[in-house]
Amino acid sequence: MLTKEQLERLNDQVNTEASVSRLYLAVSCWAASKGLDGVARFFKGHHEEEEEHMHKIENYIISTGGKVSIRAIEAPPSDFKDVLSVLKMALKKEIEVSSNINKMVHLFLEEKNYSTFNFLQWFVAEQHQEEHLFRSLIDKAELIGTDEKGVFWLDKELKNVSQAK
Ligand code: OFO
Protein backbone atom coordinates (compact mmCIF):
# COMPACT_ATOMS: atom_id res chain seq x y z
CA MET A 1 0.00 0.00 0.00
CA LEU A 2 1.43 3.36 -1.05
CA THR A 3 0.76 6.73 0.54
CA LYS A 4 -0.56 9.54 -1.65
CA GLU A 5 2.89 11.13 -1.87
CA GLN A 6 4.62 7.82 -2.61
CA LEU A 7 2.14 7.13 -5.40
CA GLU A 8 2.69 10.62 -6.78
CA ARG A 9 6.47 10.11 -6.86
CA LEU A 10 6.17 6.78 -8.68
CA ASN A 11 3.75 8.30 -11.18
CA ASP A 12 6.21 11.19 -11.71
CA GLN A 13 8.79 8.56 -12.59
CA VAL A 14 6.41 6.88 -15.07
CA ASN A 15 6.20 10.28 -16.73
CA THR A 16 9.97 10.80 -16.67
CA GLU A 17 10.63 7.41 -18.26
CA ALA A 18 8.04 8.23 -20.96
CA SER A 19 9.69 11.55 -21.64
CA VAL A 20 13.22 10.05 -21.91
CA SER A 21 11.80 7.33 -24.16
CA ARG A 22 10.32 9.93 -26.54
CA LEU A 23 13.58 11.88 -26.56
CA TYR A 24 15.57 8.79 -27.57
CA LEU A 25 13.00 7.97 -30.24
CA ALA A 26 13.40 11.49 -31.65
CA VAL A 27 17.20 11.06 -31.69
CA SER A 28 16.84 7.71 -33.43
CA CYS A 29 14.64 9.20 -36.17
CA TRP A 30 16.99 12.17 -36.59
CA ALA A 31 20.02 9.84 -36.91
CA ALA A 32 18.22 7.58 -39.40
CA SER A 33 17.42 10.62 -41.56
CA LYS A 34 21.15 11.48 -41.60
CA GLY A 35 22.15 7.96 -42.67
CA LEU A 36 23.67 7.21 -39.25
CA ASP A 37 22.22 3.71 -38.97
CA GLY A 38 24.30 2.63 -35.96
CA VAL A 39 23.29 5.72 -33.97
CA ALA A 40 19.65 5.24 -35.02
CA ARG A 41 19.67 1.62 -33.93
CA PHE A 42 21.39 2.38 -30.63
CA PHE A 43 18.87 5.06 -29.67
CA LYS A 44 15.90 2.98 -30.89
CA GLY A 45 17.08 0.26 -28.50
CA HIS A 46 17.31 2.79 -25.69
CA HIS A 47 13.88 4.14 -26.54
CA GLU A 48 12.52 0.60 -26.14
CA GLU A 49 14.38 0.11 -22.85
CA GLU A 50 12.90 3.29 -21.42
CA GLU A 51 9.43 2.10 -22.44
CA GLU A 52 10.11 -1.10 -20.51
CA HIS A 53 11.20 0.92 -17.46
CA MET A 54 7.95 2.86 -17.68
CA HIS A 55 5.91 -0.37 -17.84
CA LYS A 56 7.87 -1.85 -14.94
CA ILE A 57 6.83 1.04 -12.71
CA GLU A 58 3.23 1.00 -13.97
CA ASN A 59 2.99 -2.71 -13.17
CA TYR A 60 4.49 -2.18 -9.76
CA ILE A 61 2.00 0.59 -8.94
CA ILE A 62 -0.87 -1.66 -10.05
CA SER A 63 0.47 -4.55 -7.96
CA THR A 64 0.20 -2.36 -4.85
CA GLY A 65 -3.43 -1.50 -5.63
CA GLY A 66 -2.43 2.05 -6.68
CA LYS A 67 -3.65 3.99 -9.68
CA VAL A 68 -1.38 4.81 -12.61
CA SER A 69 -1.81 8.27 -14.06
CA ILE A 70 -0.52 8.71 -17.60
CA ARG A 71 0.19 12.36 -18.28
CA ALA A 72 0.88 14.51 -21.30
CA ILE A 73 4.56 14.95 -22.02
CA GLU A 74 6.40 17.75 -23.74
CA ALA A 75 7.41 16.98 -27.32
CA PRO A 76 11.16 16.40 -27.76
CA PRO A 77 13.17 18.36 -30.34
CA SER A 78 13.33 16.86 -33.82
CA ASP A 79 16.72 18.28 -34.70
CA PHE A 80 20.06 17.78 -33.00
CA LYS A 81 23.52 19.28 -33.52
CA ASP A 82 25.68 16.19 -33.86
CA VAL A 83 26.29 12.74 -32.40
CA LEU A 84 28.63 13.88 -29.62
CA SER A 85 26.19 16.52 -28.37
CA VAL A 86 23.40 13.92 -28.47
CA LEU A 87 25.48 11.56 -26.30
CA LYS A 88 26.21 14.39 -23.87
CA MET A 89 22.51 15.27 -23.74
CA ALA A 90 21.66 11.61 -23.04
CA LEU A 91 24.22 11.43 -20.22
CA LYS A 92 22.76 14.60 -18.68
CA LYS A 93 19.27 13.05 -18.86
CA GLU A 94 20.45 9.79 -17.29
CA ILE A 95 22.11 11.73 -14.46
CA GLU A 96 18.78 13.52 -13.84
CA VAL A 97 16.95 10.18 -13.83
CA SER A 98 19.50 8.73 -11.38
CA SER A 99 18.99 11.70 -9.09
CA ASN A 100 15.19 11.17 -9.13
CA ILE A 101 15.63 7.48 -8.42
CA ASN A 102 18.04 8.20 -5.56
CA LYS A 103 15.59 10.66 -4.01
CA MET A 104 12.86 8.02 -4.21
CA VAL A 105 15.11 5.36 -2.68
CA HIS A 106 15.80 7.74 0.20
CA LEU A 107 12.10 8.51 0.68
CA PHE A 108 10.97 4.88 0.66
CA LEU A 109 13.72 3.83 3.05
CA GLU A 110 12.94 6.67 5.45
CA GLU A 111 9.26 5.78 5.34
CA LYS A 112 10.09 2.10 5.93
CA ASN A 113 8.42 0.98 2.69
CA TYR A 114 10.94 -1.83 2.15
CA SER A 115 9.05 -3.45 -0.69
CA THR A 116 9.29 -0.35 -2.90
CA PHE A 117 12.81 0.29 -1.68
CA ASN A 118 13.68 -3.21 -2.88
CA PHE A 119 11.83 -2.71 -6.19
CA LEU A 120 13.86 0.45 -6.86
CA GLN A 121 17.21 -1.32 -6.46
CA TRP A 122 16.89 -2.62 -10.03
CA PHE A 123 16.70 0.98 -11.24
CA VAL A 124 19.71 2.00 -9.16
CA ALA A 125 21.82 -0.68 -10.86
CA GLU A 126 20.39 0.12 -14.30
CA GLN A 127 21.18 3.83 -13.95
CA HIS A 128 24.74 3.04 -12.93
CA GLN A 129 25.17 0.99 -16.12
CA GLU A 130 23.56 3.63 -18.32
CA GLU A 131 25.68 6.46 -16.98
CA HIS A 132 28.80 4.36 -17.40
CA LEU A 133 27.88 3.46 -20.99
CA PHE A 134 27.22 7.06 -22.08
CA ARG A 135 30.32 8.33 -20.27
CA SER A 136 32.59 5.79 -21.94
CA LEU A 137 31.11 6.51 -25.39
CA ILE A 138 31.67 10.26 -24.88
CA ASP A 139 35.27 9.64 -23.76
CA LYS A 140 35.96 7.50 -26.82
CA ALA A 141 34.29 9.99 -29.16
CA GLU A 142 36.34 12.85 -27.74
CA LEU A 143 39.51 10.80 -28.07
CA ILE A 144 38.95 9.86 -31.69
CA GLY A 145 37.60 13.28 -32.69
CA THR A 146 34.38 14.25 -34.41
CA ASP A 147 35.51 14.85 -37.98
CA GLU A 148 33.93 12.70 -40.72
CA LYS A 149 36.13 9.71 -39.90
CA GLY A 150 35.32 10.05 -36.21
CA VAL A 151 31.58 10.12 -36.88
CA PHE A 152 31.92 7.07 -39.15
CA TRP A 153 33.74 5.20 -36.37
CA LEU A 154 31.21 6.30 -33.75
CA ASP A 155 28.31 5.12 -35.89
CA LYS A 156 29.96 1.70 -36.19
CA GLU A 157 30.73 1.60 -32.47
CA LEU A 158 27.11 2.35 -31.56
CA LYS A 159 25.97 -0.38 -33.93
CA ASN A 160 28.32 -2.84 -32.18
CA VAL A 161 27.05 -1.81 -28.76
CA SER A 162 23.43 -2.35 -29.92
CA GLN A 163 24.29 -5.80 -31.32
CA ALA A 164 26.03 -6.82 -28.09
CA LYS A 165 22.88 -6.09 -26.02
FE1 OFO B 1 17.75 5.23 -17.96
O1 OFO B 1 16.11 5.97 -17.49
FE2 OFO B 1 15.03 4.56 -17.30
O2 OFO B 1 15.44 4.20 -15.60
mmCIF file of all heavy atoms in Angstrom, residues 13 17 20 50 53 94 97 101 123 126-127 130, ligand 1:
data_model
loop_
_atom_site.group_PDB
_atom_site.id
_atom_site.type_symbol
_atom_site.label_atom_id
_atom_site.label_comp_id
_atom_site.label_asym_id
_atom_site.label_seq_id
_atom_site.Cartn_x
_atom_site.Cartn_y
_atom_site.Cartn_z
ATOM 1 N N GLN A 13 7.732 9.316 -11.926
ATOM 2 C CA GLN A 13 8.794 8.558 -12.594
ATOM 3 C C GLN A 13 8.284 7.874 -13.864
ATOM 4 O O GLN A 13 9.020 7.765 -14.842
ATOM 5 C CB GLN A 13 9.415 7.544 -11.614
ATOM 6 C CG GLN A 13 10.726 6.950 -12.086
ATOM 7 C CD GLN A 13 11.804 7.993 -12.368
ATOM 8 O OE1 GLN A 13 11.849 9.042 -11.736
ATOM 9 N NE2 GLN A 13 12.663 7.707 -13.330
ATOM 10 N N GLU A 17 10.174 8.480 -17.366
ATOM 11 C CA GLU A 17 10.633 7.405 -18.262
ATOM 12 C C GLU A 17 10.002 7.593 -19.652
ATOM 13 O O GLU A 17 10.659 7.389 -20.674
ATOM 14 C CB GLU A 17 10.259 6.022 -17.706
ATOM 15 C CG GLU A 17 10.805 5.708 -16.328
ATOM 16 C CD GLU A 17 12.294 5.438 -16.272
ATOM 17 O OE1 GLU A 17 12.927 5.255 -17.320
ATOM 18 O OE2 GLU A 17 12.834 5.422 -15.148
ATOM 19 N N VAL A 20 11.887 10.452 -21.423
ATOM 20 C CA VAL A 20 13.217 10.048 -21.908
ATOM 21 C C VAL A 20 13.059 9.118 -23.121
ATOM 22 O O VAL A 20 13.791 9.217 -24.112
ATOM 23 C CB VAL A 20 14.045 9.356 -20.788
ATOM 24 C CG1 VAL A 20 15.392 8.912 -21.307
ATOM 25 C CG2 VAL A 20 14.234 10.281 -19.603
ATOM 26 N N GLU A 50 13.593 2.322 -22.292
ATOM 27 C CA GLU A 50 12.904 3.293 -21.418
ATOM 28 C C GLU A 50 11.409 2.997 -21.341
ATOM 29 O O GLU A 50 10.783 3.198 -20.299
ATOM 30 C CB GLU A 50 13.156 4.738 -21.880
ATOM 31 C CG GLU A 50 14.606 5.178 -21.863
ATOM 32 C CD GLU A 50 15.299 5.055 -20.504
ATOM 33 O OE1 GLU A 50 14.625 4.907 -19.473
ATOM 34 O OE2 GLU A 50 16.536 5.087 -20.484
ATOM 35 N N HIS A 53 11.082 0.378 -18.827
ATOM 36 C CA HIS A 53 11.198 0.915 -17.464
ATOM 37 C C HIS A 53 9.856 1.515 -17.032
ATOM 38 O O HIS A 53 9.412 1.331 -15.898
ATOM 39 C CB HIS A 53 12.270 2.016 -17.389
ATOM 40 C CG HIS A 53 13.640 1.541 -17.770
ATOM 41 N ND1 HIS A 53 14.697 2.395 -17.968
ATOM 42 C CD2 HIS A 53 14.116 0.278 -17.992
ATOM 43 C CE1 HIS A 53 15.775 1.689 -18.282
ATOM 44 N NE2 HIS A 53 15.446 0.410 -18.316
ATOM 45 N N GLU A 94 20.308 10.970 -18.154
ATOM 46 C CA GLU A 94 20.449 9.793 -17.293
ATOM 47 C C GLU A 94 20.867 10.202 -15.872
ATOM 48 O O GLU A 94 20.427 9.595 -14.900
ATOM 49 C CB GLU A 94 21.445 8.801 -17.890
ATOM 50 C CG GLU A 94 20.986 8.158 -19.198
ATOM 51 C CD GLU A 94 19.730 7.293 -19.067
ATOM 52 O OE1 GLU A 94 19.394 6.851 -17.965
ATOM 53 O OE2 GLU A 94 19.070 7.081 -20.093
ATOM 54 N N VAL A 97 17.778 11.338 -14.209
ATOM 55 C CA VAL A 97 16.952 10.178 -13.834
ATOM 56 C C VAL A 97 17.535 9.522 -12.574
ATOM 57 O O VAL A 97 16.799 9.198 -11.635
ATOM 58 C CB VAL A 97 16.859 9.148 -14.993
ATOM 59 C CG1 VAL A 97 16.158 7.872 -14.537
ATOM 60 C CG2 VAL A 97 16.125 9.739 -16.181
ATOM 61 N N ILE A 101 15.715 8.825 -9.001
ATOM 62 C CA ILE A 101 15.632 7.478 -8.421
ATOM 63 C C ILE A 101 16.230 7.492 -7.002
ATOM 64 O O ILE A 101 15.639 6.958 -6.067
ATOM 65 C CB ILE A 101 16.386 6.439 -9.298
ATOM 66 C CG1 ILE A 101 15.824 6.377 -10.722
ATOM 67 C CG2 ILE A 101 16.451 5.059 -8.629
ATOM 68 C CD1 ILE A 101 14.608 5.526 -10.940
ATOM 69 N N PHE A 123 16.490 -0.280 -10.522
ATOM 70 C CA PHE A 123 16.702 0.981 -11.238
ATOM 71 C C PHE A 123 18.032 1.637 -10.850
ATOM 72 O O PHE A 123 18.678 2.274 -11.680
ATOM 73 C CB PHE A 123 15.529 1.952 -10.968
ATOM 74 C CG PHE A 123 14.274 1.557 -11.711
ATOM 75 C CD1 PHE A 123 13.380 0.654 -11.161
ATOM 76 C CD2 PHE A 123 14.003 2.067 -12.966
ATOM 77 C CE1 PHE A 123 12.243 0.261 -11.854
ATOM 78 C CE2 PHE A 123 12.872 1.689 -13.660
ATOM 79 C CZ PHE A 123 11.988 0.777 -13.105
ATOM 80 N N GLU A 126 20.578 -0.210 -12.882
ATOM 81 C CA GLU A 126 20.386 0.125 -14.297
ATOM 82 C C GLU A 126 20.960 1.520 -14.597
ATOM 83 O O GLU A 126 21.663 1.720 -15.590
ATOM 84 C CB GLU A 126 18.881 0.082 -14.625
ATOM 85 C CG GLU A 126 18.481 0.586 -16.003
ATOM 86 C CD GLU A 126 18.929 -0.322 -17.139
ATOM 87 O OE1 GLU A 126 19.340 -1.457 -16.860
ATOM 88 O OE2 GLU A 126 18.886 0.150 -18.299
ATOM 89 N N GLN A 127 20.683 2.463 -13.723
ATOM 90 C CA GLN A 127 21.181 3.830 -13.951
ATOM 91 C C GLN A 127 22.704 3.873 -13.896
ATOM 92 O O GLN A 127 23.331 4.612 -14.653
ATOM 93 C CB GLN A 127 20.577 4.794 -12.912
ATOM 94 C CG GLN A 127 19.139 5.154 -13.195
ATOM 95 C CD GLN A 127 18.920 5.615 -14.632
ATOM 96 O OE1 GLN A 127 18.194 4.976 -15.371
ATOM 97 N NE2 GLN A 127 19.554 6.693 -15.043
ATOM 98 N N GLU A 130 23.842 2.663 -17.260
ATOM 99 C CA GLU A 130 23.557 3.627 -18.324
ATOM 100 C C GLU A 130 24.532 4.800 -18.290
ATOM 101 O O GLU A 130 25.055 5.215 -19.320
ATOM 102 C CB GLU A 130 22.115 4.159 -18.188
ATOM 103 C CG GLU A 130 21.060 3.149 -18.524
ATOM 104 C CD GLU A 130 21.067 2.773 -19.995
ATOM 105 O OE1 GLU A 130 20.415 3.487 -20.772
ATOM 106 O OE2 GLU A 130 21.737 1.794 -20.358
HETATM 107 FE FE1 OFO B 1 17.746 5.230 -17.959
HETATM 108 O O1 OFO B 1 16.111 5.974 -17.493
HETATM 109 FE FE2 OFO B 1 15.025 4.558 -17.304
HETATM 110 O O2 OFO B 1 15.439 4.199 -15.599
#
